[in-house]
Amino acid sequence: MKKILVIDDDETFQKAISTKLELLTYQVVLASDGEEGLSKAVTEKPDLILLDIKMPKLDGLAFLKKLRANEGGLKIPVIITSNLSSIDKISEGVSLGIKGYILKSNETLDTITKEIAAALNT
Amino acid sequence: MILTVASILLAVGGVSVSIYFVIKDHKAKVVLVKKEQDISRRMYELAILKELGDRIGYSLDVQQIIDIIINSLHQFIDYSAVSYMLLGPEKLIFKMHLERSVHQRFVNDIRDRMLGSLSALLDREFNKKDVKEIISGAIIIEELNDPVRSFFNIPLVIDEKVVGVLTVADTKSGLYKEEEMTILYKIIQQASKAVTSLQGVVKTEQAKVNAMVESMADGVVMTDVDYRIMVLNPSARAIIGLPRKESVTIFDFIDNLEGKFDIRGRLEESVKLNKPFKSEEVLIRDKFYKIFVFPVNTERTNEANEKEVVGGVVIFHDVTAEKSIEQIREQFTSMIVHELRTPLSGINKISELLRDGQQKIEKKDFDEYIRLINADSTGMLELVNDILDIAKLEAGKFEVKKEPTDVKKVVDNRLEFFRPSANDVKLNLEVVYDAELPSFVAIDQAGIKQVLNNLISNALKFTKANGSVQILVVHHKAGMKINEEFARLPAKTVVPFPEEKFINMPESIVVAVADTGSGINASEIKDLFNKFKQLDNKSETGVKGTGLGLAIVKGIVEAHNGSVGVVSEIGVGSLFFFVIPLQ
């Protein structure tokens, strides 16, 4: 069973995506900010991370920098799921090595989970 | 014999008479000649002064003025050569005009004598190598061997400073009398005076321009056509980071602009084509500038009836502030978009789950969905209302419907509204009224309710459990100290009022919301009521605001001709207040 870490401060998105992923038999771990996400990334060793950008304490991009610095050669695939459409944030994410960038409001749970499946298969 | 004697006597007498007449005539002639000379000198003096006056009008070039004097000097003094030696920017300018041909040694002798007297006048050593020599007039003939036999020097003094020496010399001896020297001296003095006073005028004008340029926030640099810097103000120095360098050149600009702006190229273009230039935004040392380049024209026009270009001006206009406002606006818009998208996309995702998984939904999940949809839609509604209020306030369309209102009733009503949520987070919420309040105050009830809503909900959000939120209402009298007025209440505010805000405050109602929350950093306070700023610190309860609440509070209170304020101390608490004047 693949394990997915969802790092997002939006309770509704947490609930919706975890329900959908569990229906598809993924194991879901939740974190509500970057700091919590960082410790769960270490302890839970997820197969993939869904990462929001605008979050308290440690935002998504800062989280990503710390994660990449911490994990050494091991690279957990990360898909950014955010409601920010700023091109700066996207290109900064790309430079830090991400599998994809999903604008949450533009995609259904169905299309998001399809992207997750695709990312896990490559 | 007698006759002879008599005739001789007669003859002698005649001779003596004629001699007498001759002598008398000669004397008259001498007087006449002297008179004539005097007149001609005076005429010359007047003519030269007139010409000086005319020319000085548009020339402050000392060399040019002396040239005018020596060009017509031969009209009243006889000389082989007239010459001047001036302190130039790099070298001594030695110019000699020969009326008659002389030997090279004559020239060298004069030059050395002038060097000597200039050295003595200025108490400075000069070398032959420092001299730039210009000879005009008659040619030098080696066969002629007459030395300098007559000679006199006049120092050239402008504005009490010796700028050079004028010398008249001849190969004949005993030529120059005191009288001639005096006249020449007088002419030179007059010219010096004219130049000095004109320089004074120019200096005053320049000082005026300099004072203006000095105090300008824009960086100003003016160069001549050879890109030598003539004017440079402190702002321009600061822009290229050379606030204290003594002599700044165009190369300092080229080096320090690091290729971000081709100052030399733009100046050249502007000067050659007599055309102004305006740049796009240029980033120089963390600041954005729009750079303007203009040619500098003279008042006079040349033969082709064009104004002559004498240099160029570069102006650096700082647009950082405008740019940052623009950036804040963009950030604000993207924040609003994000804050609207998030709950809406959440609701959308929940509805997708409801649509696709009807048979599998458990009661527990269903309740959770409903709670989330409710919370998201409530938050969004609040945000949309806030945005609409801000838009109304900005457009001046916020209508204040004032009606006589019992302030106590309005505050009590809000207290009841917030009591359950205060209890939920274990906060003590109370109100303390002044003993004597006016029974009715003209306010917009709905507006003031909204003000109280925003202030109370903020206080509740940012105060930890077991803390307290107090609403204090005081009737302020003109001229009274606000802290003394609050001291009579049976409650104590944690942070004192800013007394200075209440100087000259008319009679009014002051409502304060005091909390024992985390407090606000001094650096963040000034932007607190600005709609574009939203503090990043999360509330104690994790609830996030739209960041527009305080901007709305300010707008509504100001629509009542009132004012808002805040004082805060980290770790102690904050005191937000608004003042509604009574008349």
Side-chain angles (χ1 to χ4, degrees), chain B residues 229 232 237 242-249 252:
Chain B
I229 291 176
L232 174 69
R237 285 172 173 277
L242 294 172
R244 264 172 277 282
K245 191 170 188 275
E246 204 151 287
S247 60
V248 175
T249 68
D252 289 317

Side-chain angles (χ1 to χ4, degrees), chain B residues 1-9:
Chain B
M1 176 68 190
I2 286 167
L3 188 75
T4 313
V5 169
S7 71
I8 286 170
L9 271 175

Side-chain angles (χ1 to χ4, degrees), chain B residues 379-443:
Chain B
M380 220 174 95
L381 203 58
E382 259 176 42
L383 178 59
V384 169
N385 282 335
D386 280 0
I387 294 169
L388 291 176
D389 282 341
I390 281 284
K392 264 196 234 164
L393 285 165
E394 283 222 319
K397 297 244 171 73
F398 185 86
E399 271 180 64
V400 182
K401 288 188 213 100
K402 281 192 191 173
E403 47 185 323
T405 308
D406 182 352
V407 178
K408 270 189 182 178
K409 263 192 183 162
V410 174
V411 176
D412 283 341
N413 170 281
R414 288 299 91 191
L415 209 68
E416 288 321 303
F417 179 81
F418 279 103
R419 177 102 45 219
S421 26
N423 290 341
D424 280 352
V425 290
K426 297 191 180 64
L427 284 178
N428 175 38
L429 176 66
E430 56 167 9
V431 61
V432 185
Y433 293 108
D434 207 344
E436 34 108 29
L437 282 175
S439 0
F440 293 102
V441 181
I443 52 167

